[in-house]
């Protein structure tokens, strides 16, 4: 059993500007929950993302200029809506026993909405500001 949680925000900014911002490692500390320290060897399939927390997931899918996927199901999907309007969707796929426990799943869902909602608002503010 698996479940995908996702949240999105529309940013009044061109698609290419959003992609360039997201694929600049130093920008992540401005909006992401965990500081991204390095991407080795760079933004490509198989790269290692080194976070301040010590996590080192693999970038499993890098499809410029639309999709980044890492670890066990985290992803950022970037979609052009209009020339100066871009939607960013952050999603996380959960699997296993965690998903099967309704109380744990609801607690995780609430935390996801709060944390990811705040994260996406920060990203929006940086790009529109």
């Amino acid at each position: 059993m698996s479940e995908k949680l996702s949240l999105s925000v529309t940013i009044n900014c061109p698609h290419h500007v959003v992609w360039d911002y997201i694929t600049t490692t130093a920008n992540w500390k401005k909006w992401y929950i965990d500081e991204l320290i390095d991407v080795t060897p760079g933004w490509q399939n198989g790269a290692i993302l080194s976070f301040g927390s010590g996590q080192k997931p693999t970038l499993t899918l890098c499809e410029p200029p639309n999709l980044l996927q890492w670890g066990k199901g985290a992803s950022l999907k970037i979609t052009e809506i209009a020339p100066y309007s871009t939607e960013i969707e952050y999603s996380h796929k959960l699997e296993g026993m965690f998903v099967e426990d309704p109380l744990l799943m609801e607690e995780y869902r609430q935390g996801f909405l709060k944390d990811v909602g705040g994260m996406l608002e920060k990203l929006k503010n940086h790009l529109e500001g």
Side-chain angles (χ1 to χ4, degrees), residues 2-127:
S2 68
E3 184 166 338
K4 179 182 172 185
L5 298 177
S6 63
L7 198 57
S8 63
V9 66
T10 300
I11 298 175
N12 296 315
C13 197
H15 182 265
H16 72 278
V17 171
V18 174
W19 179 260
D20 289 346
Y21 187 89
I22 287 175
T23 56
T24 300
T25 305
N27 290 337
W28 282 55
K29 68 182 174 187
K30 299 173 187 174
W31 65 276
Y32 197 71
I33 293 170
D34 191 0
E35 182 181 1
L36 181 61
I37 296 169
D38 191 30
V39 180
T40 307
W43 293 98
Q44 61 188 19
N45 293 341
I48 303 299
L49 306 176
S50 298
F51 287 99
S53 65
Q55 293 185 23
K56 294 187 178 221
T58 300
L59 187 60
T60 55
L61 198 54
C62 181
E63 293 181 353
N66 300 311
L67 181 65
L68 295 173
Q69 184 174 319
W70 63 95
K72 296 182 179 181
S75 67
L76 281 171
K77 182 178 179 186
I78 301 142
T79 307
E80 182 176 55
I81 298 171
Y84 291 95
S85 186
T86 304
E87 179 184 70
I88 297 179
E89 176 187 53
Y90 180 90
S91 64
H92 192 252
K93 184 178 175 185
L94 301 167
E95 295 182 336
M97 292 175 55
F98 185 82
V99 177
E100 295 170 13
D101 184 324
L103 293 175
L104 278 177
M105 192 59 212
E106 184 55 31
E107 184 178 326
Y108 186 87
R109 185 183 333 278
Q110 293 304 316
F112 178 89
L113 293 173
K114 179 181 176 242
D115 294 344
V116 172
M119 184 176 76
L120 290 176
E121 280 304 311
K122 282 182 185 177
L123 179 58
K124 178 181 173 91
N125 291 338
H126 282 288
L127 282 162

